[in-house]
Amino acid sequence: MTDTHVAAPAKTAAPPPDAPRNQALAKAALLLLRGRTLVVLVLLIVIFSAISGEYLTQSNLILMTKHVAINAILAIGVTFVILTGGIDLSVGSIAGLASMVSGGLLFKGLNFPGGTVFFSVAVVILIGIVVGALVGAVNGVLITRFKVAPFIATLGMLYVARGLAQLHSNGGTYPDLAGTDARGNTGFHFIGVDSLLGIPVAVWIMVLVAVAAIVVTTKTPFGRRIFAVGGNERAAVLSGIRVNRVKIAVYVISGACAALAGLLLTSELGAAYPDTATTYELNAIAAAVLGGTALAGGRGTIIGTVMGAFVIGFLSDGLVLVGVSTFWQSVVKGAVIVFAVITEQAQQRLQSGLTKRTA
Amino acid sequence: MTGVLEAIDISKNYGGVRALKDVTFTAHQGKVNVLVGENGAGKSTLMKILSGSEQPTSGEIRLDGEPVVLGSPRAAQALGIGIIHQELSLFPNLSIAENMFAGRELRRGGLFVDTAEQRRRAVEVLARLGQGHLSLDTAVGDFPIGQQQLVEIGRALLEDVRVLIMDEPTSALSNHEVDVLFGVMADLRAQDVTVIYISHKLDEFRRIGDWVTVFRDGSLVAHESMDKTDTGWIVRQMVGRDPDSLYVRNSSPVGDLLLEVRELTAPGFHDVSLSVRAGEVVGIYGLMGAGRTELMECLMGMRKAEAGSVAVRGKPETRGTVQARMAAGLALVPEDRQRDGLVQTMSVRDNILLATVARFTRAGLLSGGAEQRTADAKVRELAIKSPGLAAAVTSLSGGNQQKVVLARALLTEPVVLLLDEPTRGIDVGAKSQIAALMADLAAQGFGVLFISSELAEVMAMADRVLVMARGRITAEFTAQNVTEEALVTASASESVLEGQQ
């Protein structure tokens, strides 16, 4: 209602005499707003490196990027879901469950009545990711077949998956995931601790996941369908898109990404404990929103989400580095997220204003 | 006889569109004043102005000869002008009494809602409408539509109205409910209340109306005492002369049977049988709520059929999913573009290619070049005016948005095109372009099945016209034997066409 009231005078008003200059300004402002996540990131780096000499060092940048990697992978998965107009609150718990399942396989193996089997690290990682994907599939089926609202279905899964993670070890921690040569399951530290060409493996994995996600969202029919389902589900149905399949698929992707992030975290810590990645779902959603993904669905980019994850990570670590208390960190992070949404709306308004004028 | 409510030289512009052109209208006191006209003729716009929810661009309103300003619905109500809207404006989650007194709750001690008094008065009004038995504790949304409509009417009757405007109040009522409503209208008339009554149902309003006023294209074209008119005269005034100039008639020879529907039943319609041949344009005429959209959605697999069969090109299609119907050769251009047609967040190109996007891949990846060429070809073929393929689809005009949805449907390579109100809400020029496209498609050997609520359109474009009323097909005409009067009569008919069970 208010929108039409605001738009009405703009339509009838004659363009002011200095319209071309105004329009150039508006276009510049629009460009700035579109790239705002990048602008904020650059600003953060400039400000923090002015305050602290340690911020802009190679080692600190690599360390911060490694922190970013885990949240970015979670956020990329969640972005798929949000693009369809859904939400996934269970990713933190899925990460925890995958961590416990894989940690358990490394630490104590799989117990049969006849003995115990140990799998190689690659197989263990694969099993962890499959567990995440299956939990995501359950989310998807609840939402499509049983018509449970995504918020409720994944809120339920947030509790269920966390509970399963705790049940797995009766609340305990699997302290040693190094494996032994005899069991053929050494090397789990590779993904979370080691580096390749001076860059942490976790960062390489983030890059791979991001590139794959960009290709899927922008270069495949499936990606196009994700945007269509989020943009207008009824139109998608009428265009012959199997909306339920698309929805289940995005929750599977989200679950798999969450599991992968959980495994990276576990590898980094060298131990699996049931509270791994608690509340990480909120960071992931925040990164997606910061990167310009519309919670209503249909609008957003993977690259934006990755940038959003960088802003959150570089902001947190910067605040720690310059000695701001964790309490203030929370306040600042929250304010930045809300501010991001306000600028998003400003961009939408400016953009539609510009198209009207040029049309 | 004095006119109690007068509109003098009222004009209303929406942007560049003139919805009302210098209309001078008199509602006679203590009479039932019937307004008729096709969709978009300007009746509802005038009623919105007379009830204060829209302001005229120019002109004057007089009540008892005195100029008045109706700045808001509240201001109109204060002067004794009440309105019952066509679309229900009830709160489905609230009870009857809560709905009737919403926004003007009776108070006790200035603070608390006087529930008991509200309920007492609600029961009183309901009894007047013959609905004294309705439960006061049930949420209004749980009642059937007809009873909801009566609750809405009851709300207007609670106030002391001098003028009561009713915008198609009977569209959802059963015969018995209509009789009750007409009784209430006769009562109001006896109490010297001025009733303004918009209706499409000629057989109904001739029973109750004293005066009839006909609107066409934003102008008042006739105002006459009801007993000096007959149905034929009213229809002629509504349609005007020479609708054929606007539309292109299909003249291609009729070929093979493409679509055959047998005794199809789903919520909203029963036992519908019809057929469409190659090169044939078949129209479905009917009133709102006759079940036409439900039929189209069922044909397209968006609604599950309860009984009956659908065969395309002689092959029964039994799966009944959108994908299966699309593969069989059906494509639907929906009635509500914004709700069912467009993905507003996507570009013109992505909207055009949405249903067929999987075709434009190389090794699983979309090939931008093939997409661009295909979309560009369709834009040229259908003469879609757009700032560019990458432009937001929302930046296009209504007619061009409609062509985008049509382009998407055509790309699925259908044999029968289903068009639900293809010209609704688009301007006259675009209407005639869409009509030309439909004739052209028939000439290329497509079968075309379209819904229309406009007499002139359906008569000028269709080779055969089916009429639907209350979920059934009540009549069938050919282009040679169709008349306006027959269509209007059949659209309000209770009888079912023979051979349709």
Side-chain angles (χ1 to χ4, degrees), chain A residues 321-347:
Chain A
L321 198 69
V322 301
V324 176
S325 81
T326 49
F327 309 136
W328 275 111
Q329 287 176 36
S330 243
V331 173
V332 171
K333 213 155 85 180
V336 165
I337 289 162
V338 174
F339 182 71
V341 175
I342 295 173
T343 57
E344 155 91 31
Q345 282 163 355
Q347 182 203 325

Side-chain angles (χ1 to χ4, degrees), chain B residues 211-223:
Chain B
W211 288 83
V212 59
T213 306
V214 186
F215 282 80
R216 190 200 318 143
D217 297 334
S219 299
L220 191 158
V221 294
H223 179 71

Side-chain angles (χ1 to χ4, degrees), chain B residues 125-413:
Chain B
V125 163
L126 286 175
R128 224 171 127 189
L129 290 165
Q131 303 295 320
H133 59 281
L134 291 186
S135 157
L136 287 178
D137 299 314
T138 309
V140 161
D142 294 338
F143 289 117
I145 276 290
Q147 288 177 341
Q148 292 188 34
Q149 183 72 269
L150 290 170
V151 170
E152 175 112 30
I153 291 165
R155 181 161 70 175
L157 294 179
L158 272 177
E159 304 256 313
D160 286 328
V161 287
R162 287 200 286 167
V163 180
L164 182 60
I165 301 168
M166 304 174 136
D167 193 350
E168 292 199 58
T170 65
S171 51
L173 300 188
S174 71
N175 277 345
H176 172 68
E177 290 164 337
V178 169
D179 289 342
V180 171
L181 178 64
F182 280 8
V184 172
M185 282 165 77
D187 276 359
L188 291 169
R189 178 163 57 184
Q191 295 161 22
D192 223 20
V193 172
T194 303
V195 178
I196 301 175
Y197 177 42
I198 297 182
S199 178
H200 279 121
K201 299 186 178 173
L202 277 88
D203 55 337
E204 271 182 21
F205 70 66
R206 292 193 58 80
R207 271 164 55 198
I208 187 83
D210 301 305
W211 288 83
V212 59
T213 306
V214 186
F215 282 80
R216 190 200 318 143
D217 297 334
S219 299
L220 191 158
V221 294
H223 179 71
E224 193 57 78
S225 173
M226 187 69 83
D227 47 26
K228 291 187 187 142
T229 68
D230 59 33
T231 309
W233 179 86
I234 292 172
V235 171
R236 278 196 301 282
Q237 298 297 328
M238 273 168 64
V239 177
R241 254 153 284 283
D242 202 21
D244 287 292
S245 61
L246 192 55
Y247 301 108
V248 183
R249 170 161 307 279
N250 168 44
S251 56
S252 48
V254 169
D256 297 340
L257 188 61
L258 293 181
L259 173 66
E260 186 163 37
V261 178
R262 288 255 135 249
E263 290 160 30
L264 198 63
T265 298
F269 62 91
H270 329 273
D271 290 326
V272 168
S273 298
L274 59 86
S275 64
V276 180
R277 292 179 172 274
E280 193 179 32
V281 177
V282 179
I284 304 180
Y285 178 78
L287 299 173
M288 253 176 57
R292 300 170 300 166
T293 296
E294 290 82 351
L295 171 63
M296 286 292 203
E297 288 183 355
C298 182
L299 288 177
M300 202 56 222
M302 295 175 77
R303 277 168 191 268
K304 261 204 156 55
E306 288 167 352
S309 66
V310 175
V312 184
R313 279 183 288 196
K315 275 183 237 138
E317 205 301 301
T318 52
R319 276 186 294 161
T321 62
V322 177
Q323 293 79 28
R325 292 287 154 89
M326 199 175 264
L330 299 183
L332 172 63
V333 175
E335 174 183 16
D336 189 334
R337 281 189 299 280
Q338 301 303 334
R339 197 184 58 153
D340 299 329
L342 300 169
V343 181
Q344 287 84 354
T345 50
M346 284 185 153
S347 66
V348 173
R349 183 196 67 174
D350 291 354
N351 265 288
I352 290 176
L353 302 177
L354 187 57
T356 48
V357 68
R359 277 190 219 156
F360 307 103
T361 54
R362 256 199 195 154
L365 297 185
L366 289 168
S367 145
E371 283 192 282
Q372 200 75 9
R373 278 192 301 279
T374 310
D376 194 48
K378 275 291 166 217
V379 164
R380 281 167 205 276
E381 187 188 324
L382 301 181
I384 299 173
K385 275 197 208 114
S386 116
L389 288 173
V393 77
T394 45
S395 65
L396 271 54
S397 71
N400 284 301
Q401 290 185 358
Q402 184 70 311
K403 288 186 191 171
V404 166
V405 181
L406 182 61
R408 181 200 300 158
L410 289 175
L411 276 174
T412 66
E413 294 168 6

